[in-house]
Amino acid sequence: MPYTKRRRLVSSAVAVALGATALAACGSSSDDGEAQSGPVSLTYWTWTPGMDKVVDLWNKGPGKKEQITVTVKKQASGDTLVTKILTAHKAGKAPDLVQAEYQALPTLVSNDALADIGDTVGDAKSKFADGVWQQTTLGTDAVYAVPQDIGPMMFYYREDLFKEYGLSVPATWEEFAETARKLKKAAPDKDLTTFSANDSGLFAGLAQQAGAQWWTTSGDKWKVGIDDAATKKVAEFWGGLVEEGAIDNQPMYTPAWNKALNTGKQIAWVSAVWAPGTLTTAAPDTKGKWAMAPLPQWSDDESRTGSWGGSSTGVTTDSKNKEAAAKFATWLNTDGDALNALAKEGGIYPASTSAQLSGAFMSPPEYFANQPDFYKKAATIAETTAPSAWGPNVNVAYTTFKDAFGAAAKNKSDFTAALDTMQQDTVADLKKQGFGVAE
């Protein structure tokens, strides 16, 4: 992250401390001296497909009444957008509103790019699961964005092949391992699933479910816990299965992976709520043969899931109309018509709990027509989303994961050593950027 130099963290009894200048610059929306008496024009940077059609609903309805017009500017997603936002903010020309992935929020906040909009959007908290709302507060009393879409993790499996091989849907990770071994013994040419090192979000979500806290603070310093006990447990579990050959070690999203899903060589997938869209393309011949269940748990008495993906709508500190922008962000992510349009035009799974059981989500995805309660079950799972703990250099941790875990998976070598590398690289980068780091 090119503009996170020399940020000093404020000592505070919160889960994530923020840059001192960020706190001063953000304040509440009433501090910016904006005049709300006349027409307001806002610019929104987003990558969601069809967002212009959703925004038209605002401009012709609530926006027209409040004299607040929003213009959509389509952008690339991921690190590309984060870098563009920070570049624009450095010049004092960031847009009024931005779409930001949850893991990008600490980077944007520590660079003073996002405003605290809690005074305007605070009442929306009840619309979201606690673990989802927490991602936009960074564990503080501030609110830096409104949740838009989420990716609660789930377990997908070939219902017909589970029946054929006498397999039960695993309720715990121990049962998951036993199921993988049972399948391999019955059908050596098949795998329950694969461990893939080409998508860091999958591993991060699994660690989140296990209780990992990768970034926290100690006084005015960041503390990196990527090698904490919870994450080591996850790494050892998956590394052990790969080493013994109980599961495959090939990456996802390749022609070979698609073929394995489509032919039944791989009969399960740990994924998220958006999986039906991927399976539609990757395994078209198996439509109607899959089912979805909650993610296996680490113990019988637990019920929680991790997140794999998701984004929010934030207001920048450069906006001259923060209160108006926050009103739009709230409408976009809580209004029934807006959320139905987002689902239809953008294909998102809404963070709003009420929207998860209405509109487009009253019937299952076409690929899962055999499971009528798909979205009802998904909404129940989403409510159990575990809290997350992101930091200002997620990109570094994710890149190291792909390199270190990629090599470990390919060579069937020690996953905990790869985890140590991930920890060391993340800490070294924070220090290089000028952040205080607690050892």
PDB file of all heavy atoms in Angstrom, residues 124-136:
ATOM      1  N   ALA A 124     -28.915   1.725  11.454  1.00  0.00           N
ATOM      2  CA  ALA A 124     -28.999   0.600  10.521  1.00  0.00           C
ATOM      3  C   ALA A 124     -28.392  -0.675  11.098  1.00  0.00           C
ATOM      4  O   ALA A 124     -28.545  -1.748  10.525  1.00  0.00           O
ATOM      5  CB  ALA A 124     -28.294   0.955   9.211  1.00  0.00           C
ATOM      6  N   LYS A 125     -27.724  -0.575  12.221  1.00  0.00           N
ATOM      7  CA  LYS A 125     -27.035  -1.728  12.805  1.00  0.00           C
ATOM      8  C   LYS A 125     -27.938  -2.941  12.968  1.00  0.00           C
ATOM      9  O   LYS A 125     -27.523  -4.086  12.735  1.00  0.00           O
ATOM     10  CB  LYS A 125     -26.449  -1.342  14.167  1.00  0.00           C
ATOM     11  CG  LYS A 125     -25.714  -2.470  14.871  1.00  0.00           C
ATOM     12  CD  LYS A 125     -25.147  -2.011  16.213  1.00  0.00           C
ATOM     13  CE  LYS A 125     -24.432  -3.165  16.918  1.00  0.00           C
ATOM     14  NZ  LYS A 125     -23.880  -2.740  18.233  1.00  0.00           N
ATOM     15  N   SER A 126     -29.186  -2.702  13.344  1.00  0.00           N
ATOM     16  CA  SER A 126     -30.107  -3.810  13.598  1.00  0.00           C
ATOM     17  C   SER A 126     -30.455  -4.596  12.335  1.00  0.00           C
ATOM     18  O   SER A 126     -31.022  -5.691  12.413  1.00  0.00           O
ATOM     19  CB  SER A 126     -31.402  -3.281  14.224  1.00  0.00           C
ATOM     20  OG  SER A 126     -32.064  -2.391  13.337  1.00  0.00           O
ATOM     21  N   LYS A 127     -30.104  -4.061  11.179  1.00  0.00           N
ATOM     22  CA  LYS A 127     -30.424  -4.718   9.914  1.00  0.00           C
ATOM     23  C   LYS A 127     -29.419  -5.816   9.558  1.00  0.00           C
ATOM     24  O   LYS A 127     -29.620  -6.544   8.577  1.00  0.00           O
ATOM     25  CB  LYS A 127     -30.427  -3.683   8.780  1.00  0.00           C
ATOM     26  CG  LYS A 127     -31.374  -2.514   8.971  1.00  0.00           C
ATOM     27  CD  LYS A 127     -32.819  -2.920   8.773  1.00  0.00           C
ATOM     28  CE  LYS A 127     -33.731  -1.691   8.810  1.00  0.00           C
ATOM     29  NZ  LYS A 127     -35.146  -2.056   8.596  1.00  0.00           N
ATOM     30  N   PHE A 128     -28.337  -5.918  10.335  1.00  0.00           N
ATOM     31  CA  PHE A 128     -27.248  -6.814   9.966  1.00  0.00           C
ATOM     32  C   PHE A 128     -26.846  -7.716  11.133  1.00  0.00           C
ATOM     33  O   PHE A 128     -27.027  -7.354  12.296  1.00  0.00           O
ATOM     34  CB  PHE A 128     -26.029  -6.005   9.511  1.00  0.00           C
ATOM     35  CG  PHE A 128     -26.340  -5.001   8.432  1.00  0.00           C
ATOM     36  CD1 PHE A 128     -26.648  -3.681   8.759  1.00  0.00           C
ATOM     37  CD2 PHE A 128     -26.355  -5.379   7.101  1.00  0.00           C
ATOM     38  CE1 PHE A 128     -26.959  -2.753   7.769  1.00  0.00           C
ATOM     39  CE2 PHE A 128     -26.667  -4.462   6.102  1.00  0.00           C
ATOM     40  CZ  PHE A 128     -26.957  -3.146   6.432  1.00  0.00           C
ATOM     41  N   ALA A 129     -26.297  -8.863  10.799  1.00  0.00           N
ATOM     42  CA  ALA A 129     -25.762  -9.755  11.825  1.00  0.00           C
ATOM     43  C   ALA A 129     -24.595  -9.063  12.518  1.00  0.00           C
ATOM     44  O   ALA A 129     -23.855  -8.286  11.905  1.00  0.00           O
ATOM     45  CB  ALA A 129     -25.293 -11.063  11.188  1.00  0.00           C
ATOM     46  N   ASP A 130     -24.408  -9.321  13.801  1.00  0.00           N
ATOM     47  CA  ASP A 130     -23.366  -8.643  14.574  1.00  0.00           C
ATOM     48  C   ASP A 130     -21.979  -8.824  13.969  1.00  0.00           C
ATOM     49  O   ASP A 130     -21.195  -7.872  13.900  1.00  0.00           O
ATOM     50  CB  ASP A 130     -23.364  -9.162  16.019  1.00  0.00           C
ATOM     51  CG  ASP A 130     -24.583  -8.713  16.801  1.00  0.00           C
ATOM     52  OD1 ASP A 130     -25.249  -7.755  16.365  1.00  0.00           O
ATOM     53  OD2 ASP A 130     -24.870  -9.317  17.847  1.00  0.00           O
ATOM     54  N   GLY A 131     -21.670 -10.048  13.525  1.00  0.00           N
ATOM     55  CA  GLY A 131     -20.355 -10.310  12.967  1.00  0.00           C
ATOM     56  C   GLY A 131     -20.106  -9.588  11.663  1.00  0.00           C
ATOM     57  O   GLY A 131     -18.959  -9.311  11.308  1.00  0.00           O
ATOM     58  N   VAL A 132     -21.186  -9.247  10.958  1.00  0.00           N
ATOM     59  CA  VAL A 132     -21.072  -8.493   9.707  1.00  0.00           C
ATOM     60  C   VAL A 132     -20.896  -7.009   9.998  1.00  0.00           C
ATOM     61  O   VAL A 132     -20.017  -6.346   9.443  1.00  0.00           O
ATOM     62  CB  VAL A 132     -22.316  -8.729   8.824  1.00  0.00           C
ATOM     63  CG1 VAL A 132     -22.287  -7.826   7.602  1.00  0.00           C
ATOM     64  CG2 VAL A 132     -22.396 -10.197   8.399  1.00  0.00           C
ATOM     65  N   TRP A 133     -21.732  -6.462  10.879  1.00  0.00           N
ATOM     66  CA  TRP A 133     -21.640  -5.036  11.223  1.00  0.00           C
ATOM     67  C   TRP A 133     -20.273  -4.714  11.820  1.00  0.00           C
ATOM     68  O   TRP A 133     -19.694  -3.664  11.555  1.00  0.00           O
ATOM     69  CB  TRP A 133     -22.741  -4.684  12.208  1.00  0.00           C
ATOM     70  CG  TRP A 133     -22.795  -3.229  12.571  1.00  0.00           C
ATOM     71  CD1 TRP A 133     -22.332  -2.656  13.719  1.00  0.00           C
ATOM     72  CD2 TRP A 133     -23.338  -2.158  11.785  1.00  0.00           C
ATOM     73  NE1 TRP A 133     -22.549  -1.294  13.695  1.00  0.00           N
ATOM     74  CE2 TRP A 133     -23.170  -0.958  12.528  1.00  0.00           C
ATOM     75  CE3 TRP A 133     -23.939  -2.087  10.538  1.00  0.00           C
ATOM     76  CZ2 TRP A 133     -23.585   0.283  12.046  1.00  0.00           C
ATOM     77  CZ3 TRP A 133     -24.366  -0.853  10.053  1.00  0.00           C
ATOM     78  CH2 TRP A 133     -24.187   0.308  10.810  1.00  0.00           C
ATOM     79  N   GLN A 134     -19.730  -5.625  12.604  1.00  0.00           N
ATOM     80  CA  GLN A 134     -18.427  -5.421  13.253  1.00  0.00           C
ATOM     81  C   GLN A 134     -17.330  -5.139  12.239  1.00  0.00           C
ATOM     82  O   GLN A 134     -16.386  -4.396  12.512  1.00  0.00           O
ATOM     83  CB  GLN A 134     -18.081  -6.657  14.093  1.00  0.00           C
ATOM     84  CG  GLN A 134     -16.705  -6.659  14.729  1.00  0.00           C
ATOM     85  CD  GLN A 134     -15.671  -7.379  13.855  1.00  0.00           C
ATOM     86  OE1 GLN A 134     -16.029  -8.097  12.921  1.00  0.00           O
ATOM     87  NE2 GLN A 134     -14.415  -7.182  14.171  1.00  0.00           N
ATOM     88  N   GLN A 135     -17.465  -5.708  11.045  1.00  0.00           N
ATOM     89  CA  GLN A 135     -16.417  -5.513  10.045  1.00  0.00           C
ATOM     90  C   GLN A 135     -16.356  -4.067   9.560  1.00  0.00           C
ATOM     91  O   GLN A 135     -15.317  -3.628   9.051  1.00  0.00           O
ATOM     92  CB  GLN A 135     -16.636  -6.447   8.853  1.00  0.00           C
ATOM     93  CG  GLN A 135     -16.461  -7.916   9.206  1.00  0.00           C
ATOM     94  CD  GLN A 135     -16.290  -8.779   7.978  1.00  0.00           C
ATOM     95  OE1 GLN A 135     -15.201  -8.923   7.445  1.00  0.00           O
ATOM     96  NE2 GLN A 135     -17.382  -9.365   7.516  1.00  0.00           N
ATOM     97  N   THR A 136     -17.441  -3.320   9.706  1.00  0.00           N
ATOM     98  CA  THR A 136     -17.441  -1.927   9.257  1.00  0.00           C
ATOM     99  C   THR A 136     -17.099  -0.953  10.379  1.00  0.00           C
ATOM    100  O   THR A 136     -16.926   0.238  10.128  1.00  0.00           O
ATOM    101  CB  THR A 136     -18.808  -1.536   8.666  1.00  0.00           C
ATOM    102  OG1 THR A 136     -19.807  -1.595   9.688  1.00  0.00           O
ATOM    103  CG2 THR A 136     -19.184  -2.474   7.532  1.00  0.00           C
TER     104      THR A 136
END
